[in-house]
Amino acid sequence: MLTLMIACGNKTPSAQPIVDASNPYKPLIKIRVTATQAQQAQKAGWETMSGLFVINNGKVATTPIGCQYTFTNDTLYFNPRQPLGANMQFAVLHIIGGDTLKIEYATPATPKDIS
């Protein structure tokens, strides 16, 4: 299940996070960023701009899941350092200025090879 929820304001499609769930337990998240956003985030840390969070009882956790971040050209890539559990809900949050984009993501209920 992948649900796109735009939390605030008008956003350009290029800023929308994309979740590649080829491996549903270690999804790859891709976000296009501007040069200015990249400069700011590289100084402060990518996790200050984007992150993956557990959703528990409808509430998004305040601490993100540990992810590995890479930046190439105009795209930020990140994925969890450890495999996610089966039948869990997550939120990808991406902060642009004072606005936050949110995409919800769920892992399959029946675990396959989690790696």
Side-chain angles (χ1 to χ4, degrees):
M1 173 179 92
L2 181 63
T3 306
L4 174 65
M5 298 175 63
I6 299 177
C8 301
N10 294 327
K11 307 292 178 278
T12 60
S14 63
Q16 312 262 339
I18 297 170
V19 178
D20 175 350
S22 299
N23 177 347
Y25 304 104
K26 286 194 82 171
L28 178 63
I29 297 117
K30 306 172 196 177
I31 304 170
R32 293 192 59 168
V33 297
T34 66
T36 302
Q37 291 169 330
Q39 265 185 338
Q40 292 169 346
Q42 286 174 331
K43 289 179 184 175
W46 288 109
E47 60 280 350
T48 63
M49 173 192 273
S50 300
L52 180 65
F53 298 79
V54 172
I55 298 174
N56 191 8
N57 293 324
K59 294 184 180 177
V60 177
T62 57
T63 304
I65 292 172
C67 289
Q68 175 151 356
Y69 292 83
T70 56
F71 179 72
T72 305
N73 298 324
D74 62 351
T75 305
L76 171 64
Y77 299 89
F78 63 99
N79 65 328
R81 293 185 188 276
Q82 301 296 320
L84 304 175
N87 199 31
M88 294 182 70
Q89 300 275 71
F90 301 91
V92 176
L93 301 180
H94 178 60
I95 300 165
I96 301 173
D99 295 331
T100 301
L101 294 172
K102 176 182 175 185
I103 290 181
E104 292 188 2
Y105 172 76
T107 53
T110 305
K112 295 185 180 177
D113 289 330
I114 297 178
S115 57

